[in-house]
Amino acid sequence: MTEPLILGIESSCDETGVGIVRGTELLANVLASSVDEQARFGGVVPEVASRAHVEAIIPTLERATREAGVSLSDVDAIAVTSGPGLVGSLLVGVTTAKALSVALGVPVYGVNHLAAHVVVDELQHGALPDPVMGLLVSGGHSSLIAVRDGVRDVDLIGQTLDDAAGEAFDKVARVLDLPFPGGPSIDDLAQHGDPEAIAFPRALQRDPQHEFDFSFSGLKTAVVRWLTDQHKAGNAVKRADVAASFQEAVADVLTRKAVLACQREGIAHLVLGGGVAANSRLRAMAEARCSAAGIELRVPRPGLCTDNGAMVAALGSHLVRHGVSPSPVNFPTTSALDVRTIVMTEGS
Ligand code: KG4
Ligand code: ZN
């Protein structure tokens, strides 16, 4: 018997994503992004994002079914991000998913975006180990989550207290006059810089209350202050050194805490997710530190790390395979959805 065909819809931030999977096989992963429209604002403007989703959702859906060589009537279940995210953006995906569910007479799963970032790895590396730790780092989140019991039990181990890691990359890129999104620009420039040139601060290293939490706004301020001081002193600034030293501080804190969290929770597998997981220094440092600590690292390819529809379809497919009940069709979108809510149920 062939496995069910799952359609996944993602619209929590500025990417409209539609993915189609069968089991853990990826059939289509189509993306429309409003990043070019956002670039002139230097960040994501919620109203711009919601309008872009409305325009992109149907064409993206059509491209995905065409790419997968299936028709909508072949779909067995639908999964959609119900949170966390921008509420106006989430609503576009959720409304579309509910309409399709009713029209096609198939179940709908309102799912958690963060759990989807971890489960997407099944599309590339097969069934997830259980338990597994997820380090999710993007423009919207920086979280460490422990995933157990076939993704039925998700626990928040740590998160950022202020800016997300990607947000820090974007803000520092702006002060260095680099284009948005800042992550890739800093990553490229850092190749030519010295990561030890400037000792930028590593926050929350010795705070027992926040052992696994992150804070990046002080780091951003330290970069701004350093640049101002150099300017005042009339010193020439080597931007590549600033980029490399900033990137080193971010990668250092993220990987150190991720490894510590695995050790503390007794978890031997770490999955990276989110746009910042594309960062070359973060990947290299995670590999080195995980291998030294005997932790197996799984990093999905960049197109699966950044927000996409396939990750939502992958989580939907996982839930269907594990016999989890679908959501009631009136489930809400929840912009601050708790990480422990993996799928929306009656009353969630
Ligand atoms: O997951 P994502 O595509 O969207 C969400 O924010 O949810 O992540 C986008 C973020 C942006 O802040 C971008 O600057 C960052 O990921 N990013 C990177 C790299 N590529 C993208 N950060 C560091 N290094 C990169 N190579
Ligand atoms: Zn994300």
Side-chain angles (χ1 to χ4, degrees), residues 6-337:
I6 314 295
L7 176 80
I9 300 178
E10 156 62 34
S11 70
S12 66
C13 191
D14 60 339
E15 324 274 353
T16 315
V18 177
I20 299 175
V21 308
R22 193 185 287 286
T24 57
E25 187 194 351
L26 178 61
L27 302 180
N29 189 19
V30 177
L31 210 59
S33 174
S34 60
V35 69
D36 293 342
E37 290 158 65
Q38 312 284 1
R40 62 198 167 104
F41 302 108
V44 177
V45 179
E47 185 59 23
V48 173
S50 334
R51 284 166 191 267
H53 285 304
V54 172
E55 282 169 20
I57 188 81
I58 300 298
T60 309
L61 194 60
E62 286 170 349
R63 273 179 57 204
T65 48
R66 215 177 309 130
E67 197 170 286
V70 300
S71 78
L72 282 176
S73 58
D74 298 324
V75 170
D76 294 302
I78 297 164
V80 60
T81 302
S82 60
L86 303 169
V87 75
S89 292
L90 289 166
L91 270 170
V92 179
V94 167
T95 311
T96 307
K98 288 178 176 178
L100 283 171
S101 159
V102 173
L104 302 171
V106 297
V108 61
Y109 291 78
V111 301
N112 193 305
H113 180 85
L114 296 180
H117 265 307
V118 174
V119 177
V120 71
D121 190 56
E122 296 200 325
L123 301 179
Q124 191 174 342
H125 299 117
L128 272 184
D130 189 355
V132 60
M133 183 72 69
L135 171 63
L136 310 178
V137 277
S138 71
H141 29 259
S142 308
S143 322
L144 272 169
I145 64 174
V147 179
R148 297 185 171 89
D149 194 19
V151 200
R152 281 184 195 80
D153 173 7
V154 176
D155 201 11
L156 183 66
I157 305 299
Q159 62 182 334
T160 181
L161 303 182
D162 39 58
D163 292 351
E167 209 177 338
F169 271 95
D170 295 337
K171 288 177 175 172
V172 167
R174 202 170 342 160
V175 300
L176 290 175
D177 289 324
L178 297 170
F180 176 84
S185 334
I186 290 187
D187 202 345
D188 288 347
L189 185 61
Q191 311 290 334
H192 312 287
D194 173 4
E196 286 170 11
I198 312 151
F200 286 129
R202 274 71 164 155
L204 304 178
Q205 288 292 61
R206 272 171 292 275
D207 183 343
Q209 293 241 295
H210 296 292
E211 209 177 355
F212 302 117
D213 291 327
F214 307 107
S215 167
F216 296 111
S217 79
L219 174 58
K220 173 202 66 193
T221 310
V223 173
V224 172
R225 196 175 307 134
W226 188 89
L227 286 168
T228 311
D229 289 350
Q230 298 306 310
H231 190 68
K232 272 195 202 141
N235 296 338
V237 165
K238 195 173 167 211
R239 290 191 312 167
D241 283 350
V242 182
S245 301
F246 159 77
Q247 177 172 277
E248 191 73 5
V250 176
D252 181 19
V253 173
L254 289 173
T255 54
R256 191 186 299 272
K257 293 202 179 206
V259 167
L260 202 62
C262 287
Q263 290 167 333
R264 191 66 54 84
E265 295 285 320
I267 294 180
H269 301 268
L270 176 68
V271 176
L272 300 192
V276 182
N279 185 264
S280 60
R281 184 63 186 134
L282 176 68
R283 293 168 91 110
M285 213 187 271
E287 255 160 49
R289 289 188 172 167
C290 280
S291 107
I295 294 165
E296 195 208 315
L297 178 68
R298 296 177 43 140
V299 191
R301 62 177 176 272
L304 295 179
C305 279
T306 49
D307 288 354
N308 64 82
M311 69 191 226
V312 182
L315 178 52
S317 181
H318 183 100
L319 296 170
V320 168
R321 285 201 307 283
H322 287 75
V324 175
S325 300
S327 305
V329 80
N330 64 347
F331 71 85
T333 54
T334 309
S335 65
L337 185 65

